[in-house]
Amino acid sequence: MADEPRTAGATRLIDRGSDGRVLMVRRATLSVARGSDKGQSIAIEAAPLVVGSDPRCDLVLQDSSVSARHFVIEPGDAGFLLRDLDSTNGTLVDGLRVQGVFLPRSAEIDAGQSRLRFATSKEELEVPLSRRTRFGELLGHSNPMRQVFAILERVADTNCTVLLEGASGTGKELAARALHDASSRGGLFVAVDCGALPSNLIESELFGHARGAFTGAATDRGGLFEEADGGTLLLDEIGELPLDLQPKLLRVLETRTVRRLGESQPRPVDVRLIAATNRNLAREVAARRFREDLFFRLGVIRVRMPGLRERREEIPRLVSHFVTQLGRDATADLPDDSMMAMLQQYPWPGNVRELRNVVERLVLLPGMQPEFYLDGAAGSSDRPEGDGSPPSLLDHSFHEGKRLWTERFEREYLGRQLQRCKGNVSELARVCGLSRQSCHRLLARHGLGGRGDETGGDDR
């Protein structure tokens, strides 16, 4: 590796005046040369590429010695940066163990028992970028978000089907709503979570039913397609749609008609369909859990929503936006520099949704230890993306996890408030809105000291 120069910039920005800006991305590939997945290959384009054993990674390795999220390759203006994601067995580039390194033009990468080959070419991929920094309720000034905006603004006022892909919390529903609002469609925007509907009711919910079609069908009822007539229907978590219903959805998309359960005559519907998923539908097709014909029909336009770790430079602006949304002063109530630095280093498995929750805790409960706001930040980079729960709680039942969370809150909250009250339990009780007896009991439970009121009383 030392004898071979690293890659030149993997990306470069070109401004074409009235034609807009484009991001030129050097083409590169990553292929498996040794191991159980030998022969697999994937192109590295504008977005970071994550390699690991978790099914939600971009390149999935079946090697048991590979961590769930083992390493990531990030294209940027300085080159292709490989970062080890705190993997168990480490990552080697051309025989040298690395934490982070800019890759040469070609390299061998060892992860667990697998060996991968990285190679670049002279060809470049042209990626249009929007001049917008906002599309509907979506905010973003980074290149990944401007790529998204460039696609959304071009297809907004069309009837084409759009497939939104990305982990939970990346803003897929906001993108769907923004597409509808930017269109000229006068009907409703209707959203449904396919994973939340009972399997025995989902067909009726989508397509409607006639009276007597099944037990409990007391009246005729239109489904969500009819409700969205003239507007837009978002089918969220489309990967959860039962296999036996997928041909019926395909038929609706192809014929633009819907037939209620118990009826023989189809009804015409004018619906713009948007689908969203946090699954890799191409892999679901390969595993025969999703119909290939429906996948191609849904994916007329595919938009990948980037995770927050791909757009860390936007975190300060997003924090300011959420603080303002919560009715606070965006200058006075912003986190201090050290906390903001922690926010920009955190891996954000729950993405923008998790960031908003953290900001809300910062605003409502200021002064806690940083770990209270970013529970599990240390060592959490190896968690599967989209799993926003603190890892320490995932090893417990719901009730046990809730108990542990409550204990942590009580200990942090009371400890901080006790410091502010200079150890005075009477003042602590007043500030917390609790009785002195309750305060004494909680302080004793968590081993926190405290004294009585200022006259030396013992609060009994």
Side-chain angles (χ1 to χ4, degrees):
M1 182 170 67
D3 296 330
E4 188 174 2
R6 79 179 193 193
T7 53
T11 63
R12 58 191 180 96
L13 197 60
I14 298 177
D15 195 330
R16 291 183 172 164
S18 59
D19 292 333
R21 298 194 303 171
V22 296
L23 186 70
M24 305 301 294
V25 183
R26 184 177 298 277
R27 292 185 181 272
T29 58
L30 189 65
S31 56
V32 183
R34 185 186 70 197
S36 55
D37 302 281
K38 183 177 179 179
Q40 272 204 77
S41 182
I42 190 170
I44 305 172
E45 297 180 348
L49 184 140
V50 179
V51 177
S53 59
D54 188 273
R56 286 168 285 193
C57 291
D58 301 298
L59 179 60
V60 181
L61 301 178
Q62 304 301 320
D63 184 347
S64 60
S65 59
V66 168
S67 295
R69 297 180 66 255
H70 202 102
F71 68 85
V72 61
I73 298 177
E74 301 172 332
D77 55 7
F80 289 92
L81 174 64
L82 181 146
R83 288 192 301 110
D84 179 82
L85 297 175
D86 294 330
S87 63
T88 302
N89 296 317
T91 303
L92 283 73
V93 175
D94 289 341
L96 299 177
R97 185 164 181 147
V98 299
Q99 286 295 318
V101 65
F102 283 102
L103 294 169
R105 294 190 181 96
S106 62
E108 290 191 337
I109 302 167
D110 291 327
Q113 299 299 313
S114 298
R115 173 163 292 174
L116 302 96
R117 289 202 175 102
F118 168 83
T120 62
S121 72
K122 294 181 179 179
E123 296 181 8
E124 290 182 309
L125 173 71
E126 185 175 303
V127 181
L129 297 180
S130 172
R131 294 185 182 274
R132 295 175 183 250
T133 59
R134 182 170 192 147
F135 190 81
E137 292 300 311
L138 290 170
L139 301 179
H141 60 270
S142 64
N143 286 339
M145 286 304 291
R146 291 190 180 201
Q147 291 174 44
V148 169
F149 294 164
I151 300 172
L152 296 181
E153 63 192 13
R154 292 184 184 191
V155 302
D157 204 17
T158 71
N159 289 325
C160 68
T161 304
V162 176
L163 177 61
L164 300 169
E165 301 172 293
S168 298
T170 50
K172 297 187 291 295
E173 184 168 346
L174 290 180
R177 185 176 293 276
L179 279 171
H180 173 74
D181 291 342
S183 75
S184 56
R185 302 187 69 81
L188 298 175
F189 173 80
V190 179
V192 58
D193 185 343
C194 296
L197 291 175
S199 57
N200 61 327
L201 295 179
I202 188 168
E203 184 173 4
S204 171
E205 287 292 319
L206 290 178
F207 309 131
H209 62 257
R211 179 183 178 184
F214 53 86
T215 303
T219 60
D220 291 343
R221 181 177 178 275
L224 294 173
F225 270 93
E226 290 181 61
E227 184 180 343
D229 192 24
T232 303
L233 176 62
L234 167 64
L235 294 182
D236 201 3
E237 303 305 342
I238 188 69
E240 306 292 335
L241 191 69
L243 200 57
D244 61 325
L245 281 184
Q246 293 176 22
K248 298 179 181 181
L249 175 59
L250 181 63
R251 186 163 56 247
V252 171
L253 294 176
E254 291 179 340
T255 65
R256 298 291 172 180
T257 63
V258 64
R259 189 169 64 190
R260 294 180 180 179
L261 280 172
E263 290 187 349
S264 58
Q265 293 301 313
R267 301 166 181 260
V269 287
D270 173 21
V271 173
R272 199 259 184 93
L273 186 72
I274 300 175
T277 182
N278 62 11
R279 294 190 180 190
N280 185 319
L281 289 189
R283 292 197 197 108
E284 295 296 297
V285 169
R288 300 186 180 276
R289 290 188 294 265
F290 202 85
R291 288 180 61 106
E292 184 178 49
D293 49 4
L294 179 58
F295 171 59
F296 288 127
R297 186 65 182 80
L298 291 172
V300 176
I301 301 294
R302 295 173 65 183
V303 181
R304 178 187 172 275
M305 303 298 293
L308 187 54
R309 62 167 61 92
E310 299 173 39
R311 40 190 289 232
R312 294 177 189 273
E313 66 268 35
E314 298 186 5
I315 288 175
R317 184 184 179 202
L318 290 170
V319 169
S320 177
H321 172 70
F322 291 142
V323 168
T324 303
Q325 268 194 343
L326 292 166
R328 301 302 177 96
D329 187 334
T331 55
D333 292 312
L334 284 177
D336 60 27
D337 291 344
S338 62
M339 188 66 208
M340 189 67 80
M342 288 190 69
L343 295 179
Q344 291 186 278
Q345 290 301 313
Y346 183 65
W348 298 111
N351 294 295
V352 179
R353 182 185 295 129
E354 185 184 13
L355 175 62
R356 193 190 190 286
N357 292 342
V358 168
V359 172
E360 190 165 0
R361 287 200 289 273
L362 282 164
V363 168
L364 297 179
L365 297 170
M368 301 290 193
Q369 293 289 341
E371 291 76 14
F372 173 77
Y373 307 109
L374 297 176
D375 188 279
S380 61
S381 62
D382 200 36
R383 282 182 281 163
E385 185 168 359
D387 182 359
S389 303
S392 58
L393 302 185
L394 293 178
D395 297 330
H396 304 279
S397 68
F398 171 83
H399 295 292
E400 180 66 9
K402 182 179 179 182
R403 183 186 66 79
L404 292 171
W405 180 269
T406 302
E407 285 185 356
R408 169 172 288 185
F409 165 75
E410 289 177 355
R411 185 170 57 253
E412 292 283 349
Y413 179 81
L414 291 169
R416 285 290 177 172
Q417 293 286 28
L418 193 62
Q419 287 180 10
R420 294 173 64 183
C421 297
K422 297 181 172 58
N424 188 294
V425 179
S426 295
E427 179 65 11
L428 177 69
R430 186 189 66 77
V431 169
C432 296
L434 297 171
S435 69
R436 287 176 295 174
Q437 290 82 0
S438 295
C439 283
H440 274 301
R441 186 174 63 252
L442 289 168
L443 292 174
R445 177 188 301 170
H446 298 293
L448 299 169
R451 58 183 174 83
D453 58 42
E454 294 179 343
T455 62
D458 62 5
D459 289 313
R460 284 182 295 181

